[in-house]
Amino acid sequence: MPKSVIKTTKKKAGSGQEKILFRAPRGMHDILPEDQPWWNKARKTIDEVADFYNFSRIDTPILEEAAIFEKGLGTTTDIVSKQMYVLRTKGGDRLVLRPEGTTGVIRAYFEHGLSRLSQPLRLYYVGSFFRYERPQAGRYRELHQVGFEMIGGEDDPIYDAQMILVSFRLAEELKIKNLIVQLNSIGCRNCRPVYRRRLQEYYRKMSSGVCKDCRARLNLNPLRLLDCKEENCEKVKSGAPTIINHLCQSCRSHFKAVLEYLDELGLPYTLNAYLVRGLDYYNRTVFEISSENNASFAFGGGGRYDYLGEIIGKRKTPLPAVGSALGMERLIEEMRSRGVNGTLRSRGRVFLVQIGSPAKIKALGLIEKFREANIKALESLGRASFKSQLRIADKEGVDLSLILGQREVFEDSIIIRDMKSGNQETVPIGKMVEEVKRRLK
Ligand code: HAM
């Protein structure tokens, strides 16, 4: 991960100041105050987009029972077989630091009887997830995701299109441009087994040309053969049969309708016949979103998962559902590499400079006046020197500083200093907020 997004532990942290005894665990990061503007902007935009498309927030525990992920994601997926942080509690429970959010949300859907609410239920979440991966640029062991899920109701293809739309709009709102949506359908219980057999037949003939992992996948989870990034395996893949040619009539018309909705919305997309995704719970539509900056490195992905409800719930019939998740570190990296400013400047900002004890005491009350007027008043009340306070005001990039010295306290006035021009004017304290508002317009 470039230094610009979050501090890497390799950097000589606090160089020259403190000796380091402990570092953050490998692949995990501190998000420092200087990084927060981008995170805040992302969080605020997520809340706005979710609100606009009528998604309600849900928060589920960081730990879930291990069996949920084993059943829900599939024991042969990389996430379950290699990447889960599993722990045993003192009481003997086997729990996992959640590697993804969808499974926990579906668990909560059943546990709290959320099918009684209007369906499809639209939920979103933001939080930490954990995957024991080999850390590298854009790949961490603690990662943050925003996820959107639409659960229940019909398996109407319009929801698939809406889910892609929400993910697309979120990236757009974060000023990430030249977006690429890759799309595929991986069929259903009826048509996928036929395709799986075709794929196995093909790969059996080519097995000498693929990696060791892929030879194991051939029997365990043949669809995952299409997800291998090894150079030789990529070559073999290019000749493999495609699932799109093996879809049943019903999956074919579902997928066609998704594409028609996307066309109607004017959302650009590319068909990728080999897109399968790394989790077993998907059926029909699957998609990934990246940008032209790095087309092969998705910052978001999702799809339909109608069978997950049956797998981890007690249902005897599918629970139609479609969802998407976007990696926040990757989104923020995209924002920063495009020079998107992280600062939220919804409120006016001023800096209060105080000189001498009476001014310091009075400053406390003046800050409250600004709070009432919804103007953010910064200060450095612990500092006495006029110069050092002004220097901080300058660094903070405020438009105005308010200067309160002994004379002003005595005269019940305050000096307003325009930080750009350096012009100063003394105004009565009673008119301070009004005068500041006028100048901040
Ligand atoms: P996923 O593709 O595994 O899907 O993860 C979604 C996004 O999380 C990825 O596109 C990526 O941006 C980010 N991500 C994943 N792993 C890492 C990592 N090690 N480091 C940094 N970022 C990472 C899911 O998790 C599904 N639950 C999405 C979904 C929701 N499907 C249906 N509903």
Side-chain angles (χ1 to χ4, degrees):
M1 186 81 164
K3 268 182 262 162
S4 55
V5 181
I6 41 187
K7 295 285 166 224
T8 64
T9 47
K10 279 202 185 104
K11 193 185 171 207
K12 275 193 200 156
S15 36
Q17 290 159 25
E18 307 279 352
K19 287 209 170 124
I20 298 163
L21 197 53
F22 296 109
R23 291 180 184 276
R26 200 161 121 76
M28 303 192 184
H29 301 273
D30 301 306
I31 304 171
L32 298 177
E34 68 208 57
D35 303 314
Q36 295 293 343
W38 282 271
W39 286 81
N40 286 340
K41 190 166 198 154
R43 290 184 199 113
K44 183 165 180 271
T45 310
I46 288 164
D47 288 341
E48 282 167 3
V49 169
D51 181 53
F52 182 82
Y53 291 105
N54 213 12
F55 284 79
S56 307
R57 172 129 183 176
I58 184 164
D59 291 294
T60 61
I62 303 265
L63 290 165
E64 294 275 356
E65 273 184 58
I68 266 199
F69 296 111
E70 287 159 356
K71 281 182 126 191
L73 312 186
T75 46
T76 58
T77 55
D78 283 357
I79 292 191
V80 172
S81 63
K82 301 181 187 163
Q83 298 171 357
M84 289 207 305
Y85 283 85
V86 186
L87 60 96
R88 192 127 345 236
T89 65
K90 284 183 182 155
D93 296 330
R94 241 180 103 242
L95 301 181
V96 164
L97 282 175
R98 59 183 188 182
E100 63 98 50
T102 312
T103 321
V105 170
I106 292 292
R107 193 247 332 118
Y109 177 89
F110 288 125
E111 188 173 334
H112 304 286
L114 301 184
S115 59
R116 71 192 135 80
L117 304 174
S118 160
Q119 309 283 299
L121 185 61
R122 293 162 186 251
L123 300 172
Y124 83 106
Y125 48 87
V126 181
S128 279
F129 296 88
F130 301 85
R131 298 184 186 180
Y132 193 78
E133 300 205 65
R134 199 160 56 81
Q136 51 184 285
R139 182 154 293 141
Y140 313 105
R141 289 182 173 173
E142 182 187 19
L143 57 127
H144 296 77
Q145 281 186 352
V146 45
F148 299 92
E149 316 288 353
M150 267 192 236
I151 309 164
E154 303 295 319
D155 63 358
D156 194 321
I158 200 160
Y159 299 136
D160 306 47
Q162 263 194 329
M163 192 45 79
I164 297 169
L165 173 72
V166 171
S167 317
F168 192 91
R169 287 281 179 261
L170 173 61
E172 262 190 351
E173 288 292 320
L174 293 172
K175 308 280 180 286
I176 302 173
K177 298 203 176 93
N178 306 326
L179 298 169
I180 300 173
V181 177
Q182 295 196 54
L183 205 58
N184 195 17
S185 171
I186 56 166
C188 67
R189 277 174 181 156
N190 298 326
C191 51
R192 212 184 313 164
V194 181
Y195 172 66
R196 203 182 280 134
R197 278 198 295 276
R198 291 283 120 73
L199 203 59
Q200 280 174 318
E201 281 160 22
Y202 170 80
Y203 271 93
R204 275 205 185 102
K205 281 187 238 144
M206 314 296 279
S207 67
S208 58
V210 298
C211 69
K212 203 170 122 242
D213 279 353
C214 277
R215 280 201 288 278
R217 286 176 187 132
L218 182 48
N219 295 317
L220 289 173
N221 195 345
L223 240 61
R224 304 275 307 127
L225 287 162
L226 302 175
D227 214 19
C228 186
K229 301 285 180 288
E230 292 282 329
E231 206 182 324
N232 284 341
C233 301
E234 291 260 17
K235 273 189 209 142
V236 173
K237 180 175 83 178
S238 60
T242 59
I243 190 153
I244 219 88
N245 292 325
H246 293 80
L247 294 181
C248 60
Q249 190 47 46
S250 142
C251 286
R252 192 185 297 268
S253 40
H254 192 275
F255 192 48
K256 193 164 159 269
V258 175
L259 302 185
E260 280 166 6
Y261 286 125
L262 292 178
D263 290 339
E264 184 62 35
L265 286 165
L267 276 191
Y269 58 84
T270 313
L271 296 180
N272 177 350
Y274 296 123
L275 182 70
V276 286
R277 313 251 316 123
L279 306 155
D280 275 2
Y281 56 53
Y282 293 111
N283 65 303
R284 291 191 165 167
T285 318
V286 288
F287 60 89
E288 282 188 352
I289 303 188
S290 53
S291 83
E292 273 171 19
N293 262 3
N294 196 348
S296 59
F297 202 56
F299 53 71
R304 180 160 282 287
Y305 53 95
D306 300 336
Y307 305 134
L308 186 60
E310 280 173 286
I311 298 169
I312 65 166
K314 282 193 166 165
R315 274 178 81 97
K316 295 274 180 296
T317 52
L319 169 70
V322 61
S324 166
L326 297 96
M328 303 227 347
E329 285 83 359
R330 293 188 193 174
L331 285 175
I332 287 166
E333 169 55 18
E334 284 278 347
M335 286 164 72
R336 291 181 87 153
S337 71
R338 287 160 195 275
V340 176
N341 193 337
T343 318
L344 295 167
R345 282 279 169 84
S346 50
R347 289 199 284 174
R349 292 159 89 240
V350 298
F351 194 98
L352 200 59
V353 177
Q354 37 71 38
I355 311 140
S357 308
K360 185 169 173 175
I361 296 165
K362 197 156 183 182
L364 270 183
L366 294 186
I367 292 167
E368 291 309 296
K369 294 251 178 304
F370 284 114
R371 190 184 57 76
E372 284 157 22
N374 198 27
I375 295 169
K376 181 152 182 171
L378 308 172
E379 38 70 18
S380 182
L381 294 177
R383 278 194 174 70
S385 139
F386 174 66
K387 258 193 177 168
S388 69
Q389 291 183 64
L390 262 195
R391 214 177 299 126
I392 298 169
D394 205 38
K395 230 168 136 186
E396 289 288 348
V398 294
D399 299 318
L400 304 174
S401 279
L402 297 151
I403 303 163
L404 194 66
Q406 236 154 355
R407 178 167 170 187
E408 285 73 34
V409 173
F410 182 69
E411 289 178 352
D412 226 8
S413 65
I414 194 159
I415 299 168
I416 303 182
R417 179 187 174 100
D418 185 315
M419 294 299 283
K420 243 191 222 134
S421 65
N423 290 342
Q424 297 192 165
E425 198 184 329
T426 304
V427 302
I429 281 277
K431 293 208 158 159
M432 171 188 75
V433 170
E434 188 186 314
E435 286 293 325
V436 163
K437 273 189 175 165
R438 194 169 62 78
R439 286 169 170 79
L440 284 178
K441 261 186 197 155

